[in-house]
């Protein structure tokens, strides 16, 4: 009976020690950035996490992960886009950038999506994302900011 109590006490003590030795703090950075130009509008949705893992007596770990989606929308009618020959768009924030070029006019739609996932840097709440859309010699530039 005494050995059972001692074993239970030792196992409980080890669990408490392990829990105390490794403390994890997680922060979420889920933001929606929006903006529009004269002809196009966009929404950039980011879901990011940042983890700080404090290991008592050891070097702390730091991990990030993020998934973001840029959705570009044409303000006019789809039929306006049917004759486009050259089309490209790009976006750039403080933590990354992306671009896409379409050489086939059939690929240009009134709504275009671009997704990105991974670890590393992500946009902060006060970030500004610059968007440039170019088609057949025309250009629309605007900024995306967090919707508050």
């Amino acid at each position: 009976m005494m050995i059972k109590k001692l074993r239970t006490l030792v196992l409980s003590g080890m669990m408490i020690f392990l829990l105390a030795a490794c403390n994890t703090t997680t922060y979420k950075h889920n933001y929606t950035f929006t903006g529009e130009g004269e002809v196009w509008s966009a929404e950039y949705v980011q879901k990011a996490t940042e983890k700080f893992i404090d290991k008592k007596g050891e070097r702390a770990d730091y991990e990030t992960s993020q998934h973001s989606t840029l959705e570009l929308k044409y303000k006019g009618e789809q039929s306006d886009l049917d004759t486009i020959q050259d089309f490209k768009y790009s976006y750039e924030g403080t933590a990354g950038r992306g671009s896409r070029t379409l050489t086939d006019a059939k690929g240009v739609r009134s709504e275009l999506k671009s997704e990105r996932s991974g670890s590393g840097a992500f946009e902060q709440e006060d970030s500004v994302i610059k968007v440039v859309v170019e088609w057949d010699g025309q250009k629309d530039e605007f900024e995306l900011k967090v919707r508050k």
Side-chain angles (χ1 to χ4, degrees):
M1 186 70 119
M2 181 70 127
I3 292 175
K4 256 186 164 176
K5 286 184 179 180
L6 185 59
R7 186 170 47 193
T8 304
L9 184 61
V10 169
L11 285 174
S12 297
M14 287 176 60
M15 291 298 289
I16 291 170
F17 175 76
L18 287 174
L19 289 173
C22 196
N23 185 20
T24 301
T25 305
T26 302
Y27 299 97
K28 295 192 181 292
H29 301 277
N30 300 335
Y31 305 121
T32 300
F33 298 81
T34 58
E36 63 182 77
E38 289 183 33
V39 182
W40 296 87
S41 67
E43 180 177 82
Y44 183 89
V45 178
Q46 170 187 276
K47 295 187 185 305
T49 58
E50 182 177 33
K51 288 183 184 176
F52 295 93
I53 304 164
D54 184 18
K55 297 177 180 178
K56 302 282 188 215
E58 294 182 36
R59 192 174 132 210
D61 281 340
Y62 174 76
E63 298 174 3
T64 63
S65 65
Q66 68 91 19
H67 178 84
S68 57
T69 304
L70 175 76
E71 187 171 356
L72 190 63
K73 292 182 181 179
Y74 181 64
K75 292 179 171 183
E77 298 296 321
Q78 174 64 44
S79 59
D80 298 343
L81 303 175
D82 291 342
T83 60
I84 290 178
Q85 297 299 311
D86 297 313
F87 179 86
K88 68 179 179 177
Y89 68 88
S90 62
Y91 62 94
E92 183 172 358
T94 56
R97 66 178 132 213
S99 64
R100 187 170 175 194
T101 301
L102 299 172
T103 54
D104 179 7
K106 293 177 184 165
V108 180
R109 296 287 170 246
S110 60
E111 292 185 22
L112 298 164
K113 266 190 180 177
S114 174
E115 294 189 47
R116 185 180 114 181
S117 292
S119 60
F122 51 85
E123 300 300 332
Q124 299 295 324
E125 186 175 13
D126 61 349
S127 296
V128 174
I129 301 170
K130 296 180 181 178
V131 177
V132 178
V133 183
E134 297 177 79
W135 69 104
D136 291 343
Q138 298 181 59
K139 190 180 210 178
D140 198 6
E141 296 180 79
F142 52 96
E143 295 180 341
L144 308 179
K145 296 180 181 178
V146 167
R147 183 185 333 163
K148 293 187 180 186

